[in-house]
Amino acid sequence: MRREDFPILKQEVYGRPLVYLDNAATTQKPKVVIDALDEYYSKYNSNIHRGVHYLSSHATAEFEEARKTVQNFINAGSDCEIIFTRGTTESINLVASSFGKTFFGEGDEVVVSEMEHHSNIVPWQIACADRGAKLKVLKFNDKGEIDIADLEKLLSPRTKIVAITHVSNSLGTVNPIEKIVEVAHSKGVPVLVDGAQAVAHLPVDVRKTDCDFYCFSGHKMYAPMGVGVLYGKKELLEQMEPYQGGGEMIREVTFEKTTYNDLPFKFEAGTPSVGDVFGLRKAIEYMQETGLCEIERHEQSLMKYALERLGNVVGMRFIGEAANRAGAVSFLIGDIHPYDLGVLLDHQGVAVRTGHHCTQPVMDRFGIPGTVRASFALYNTTEDIDSLVAAIEKAKQMLS
Ligand code: 7TS
């Protein structure tokens, strides 16, 4: 599917065609996104929201258009609910810090799941430590699925927020976000969804889901590194304390008192990564040309093929076998250390990721040091999976 749009994929590594299966870490960029950066720096580079000159007005207008593109992409109700950040990590830190400062008190509780990326654990630990609140953990079963009944049991009158991933980066599990939001809301608890591994793989509709916050990174969805998004419901963002102080986020500053700007600017202190926001817009438009449903369909058939082919490898142990999966397949083979397998695959031109994938509690749950993870994007093909399987067989021979 449109592989020819990605210049980097045409190269060879170690004299072999590159098979790129590390998309959960970051996706490659299509030519239109690379060109958007070139165009921005060749023609429009200037700071936004503060210049009266031509370049600044143009860049500002384009930046605000990009905000509308993101709004439309996730079906947010208003563009003031779209805050540009550096990525998922910054989006979650923003909410943990600001929401925590505003709403957490001694003895309050935050619920996260056991399958979270460290960036959806540590910011909450920091916020809890600041306010004397406690972290509670929603466990998953041997397949890597959470149970809604467990969530119901965990929620208490002290629960201030539930923070959970839409799609797990190490297990590939797609969590039932709508159901989770419904249950949490029935107890008056808001929900933050980490969408880092979802936005490039399936259609996201924040109004249908009714989540309160949704976070994602541009670089995992064909856009440049250095830009990400926080979607937040207006009524919550308005109540929340600012995250960082600086230019753009203020209305008026005196040494006695400072008042803050309206949304979304209240949460966008300092000069944003303007060129990368242009790139993000192009990446969204690029995905929309194919359509998220079509991308999902393609990747689901790839997933099915991968599970079949990998499932026939002798010694295969899948880590994560949820019924609803997307994006990534994690596995171990016999007693081969994941790192050794990763290096041998790399030397055959196959790029996978090995290790704990910033989900150490997931590895602890299974009592393993890490996994080998193959993760997909719209440009991957069944031939890529065939190359992966052939490279695994060769690596096994070399290690035996
Ligand atoms: N949340 C999830 C579910 C992720 O997979 C990642 C990054 C992040 C948050 C953080 O995103 P960032 O863009 O702010 O760094 N996950 C991975 C990965 O699986 N391999 O490398 C990075």
Side-chain angles (χ1 to χ4, degrees):
M1 190 192 265
R2 304 180 69 179
R3 195 183 180 88
E4 64 286 359
D5 297 341
F6 294 79
I8 205 169
L9 298 176
K10 296 188 180 110
Q11 71 183 303
E12 295 193 335
V13 293
Y14 309 114
R16 290 161 183 270
L18 170 65
V19 176
Y20 187 75
L21 293 169
D22 192 19
N23 295 286
T26 198
T27 57
Q28 300 304 346
K29 320 304 172 198
K31 182 94 172 31
V32 284
V33 169
I34 300 168
D35 287 348
L37 291 181
D38 187 41
E39 190 185 350
Y40 171 71
Y41 286 110
S42 309
K43 292 192 188 157
Y44 306 120
N45 178 52
S46 63
N47 213 325
I48 55 165
H49 295 138
R50 44 191 94 177
V52 291
H53 60 80
Y54 174 81
L55 290 184
S56 180
S57 317
H58 184 83
T60 304
E62 290 287 316
F63 188 84
E64 291 309 319
E65 272 310 307
R67 201 187 300 279
K68 292 201 171 73
T69 304
V70 174
Q71 177 199 346
N72 163 277
F73 176 59
I74 59 170
N75 195 30
S78 159
D79 62 351
C80 79
E81 298 181 315
I82 305 297
I83 294 159
F84 287 117
T85 63
R86 282 194 300 124
T88 310
T89 301
E90 192 177 48
S91 300
I92 298 171
N93 273 279
L94 189 162
V95 179
S97 167
S98 299
F99 188 92
K101 246 186 282 173
T102 313
F103 296 113
F104 292 177
E106 189 76 31
D108 282 341
E109 293 166 1
V110 173
V111 172
V112 296
S113 90
E114 195 181 13
M115 69 175 80
E116 298 312 308
H117 187 278
H118 297 162
S119 63
N120 202 22
I121 299 173
V122 185
W124 299 110
Q125 288 175 324
I126 294 171
C128 284
D130 274 354
R131 316 299 293 187
K134 281 186 298 212
L135 203 63
K136 291 189 129 187
V137 181
L138 176 61
K139 305 276 184 190
F140 60 78
N141 65 18
D142 289 342
K143 289 186 163 177
E145 295 166 326
I146 59 145
D147 188 336
I148 292 289
D150 292 340
L151 175 64
E152 277 170 335
K153 277 182 235 147
L154 266 188
L155 294 171
S156 84
R158 300 307 306 261
T159 314
K160 288 292 174 198
I161 194 163
V162 172
I164 189 155
T165 195
H166 195 165
V167 176
S168 156
N169 69 318
S170 54
L171 302 169
T173 309
V174 181
N175 281 318
I177 291 304
E178 269 180 58
K179 189 75 201 153
I180 290 166
V181 172
E182 192 187 312
V183 166
H185 282 185
S186 73
K187 307 240 167 111
V189 179
V191 178
L192 173 140
V193 179
D194 173 351
Q197 298 295 345
V199 276
H201 304 292
L202 42 93
V204 170
D205 183 330
V206 292
R207 271 192 287 181
K208 184 156 167 264
T209 314
D210 200 27
C211 60
D212 301 272
F213 300 101
Y214 197 92
C215 308
F216 54 98
S217 300
H219 73 95
K220 293 186 197 289
M221 50 182 284
Y222 312 105
M225 289 188 174
V227 61
V229 172
L230 167 65
Y231 157 80
K233 279 186 183 162
K234 193 168 169 230
E235 52 276 23
L236 283 173
L237 290 173
E238 271 172 348
Q239 292 176 67
M240 282 158 54
E241 297 284 324
Y243 176 49
Q244 294 180 321
E248 198 58 41
M249 54 78 71
I250 53 89
R251 187 184 303 286
E252 222 172 86
V253 178
T254 67
F255 286 112
E256 288 68 43
K257 183 177 161 53
T258 290
T259 51
Y260 304 127
N261 206 339
D262 294 331
L263 293 175
F265 311 111
K266 176 174 129 185
F267 290 108
E268 289 182 353
T271 300
S273 199
V274 182
D276 297 328
V277 168
F278 280 35
L280 175 63
R281 179 180 179 193
K282 283 286 179 212
I284 291 173
E285 288 169 355
Y286 178 80
M287 284 195 289
Q288 286 173 332
E289 270 168 36
T290 303
L292 263 295
C293 291
E294 186 54 27
I295 293 171
E296 185 182 27
R297 197 201 52 73
H298 169 73
E299 290 186 10
Q300 282 298 326
S301 75
L302 213 56
M303 173 69 86
K304 190 160 169 278
Y305 184 77
L307 293 178
E308 269 166 31
R309 293 272 352 242
L310 289 168
N312 287 329
V313 172
V314 175
M316 173 61 62
R317 175 185 173 198
F318 289 114
I319 306 297
E321 294 183 277
N324 195 1
R325 300 166 66 160
V329 182
S330 260
F331 57 88
L332 290 171
I333 296 175
D335 56 4
I336 304 175
H337 195 282
Y339 179 77
D340 293 340
L341 187 56
V343 170
L344 291 175
L345 295 183
D346 175 52
H347 286 159
Q348 299 176 70
V350 179
V352 293
R353 194 166 182 98
T354 62
H356 54 63
H357 317 296
C358 298
T359 56
Q360 283 180 355
V362 172
M363 303 304 135
D364 291 347
R365 164 72 169 72
F366 287 107
I368 54 177
T371 74
V372 177
R373 181 187 71 185
S375 53
F376 313 125
L378 60 80
Y379 40 69
N380 287 121
T381 60
T382 52
E383 287 78 33
D384 290 339
I385 310 290
D386 294 342
S387 301
L388 169 67
V389 172
I392 291 173
E393 293 297 359
K394 185 117 179 258
K396 280 174 67 184
Q397 274 173 19
M398 290 165 84
L399 288 166
S400 67

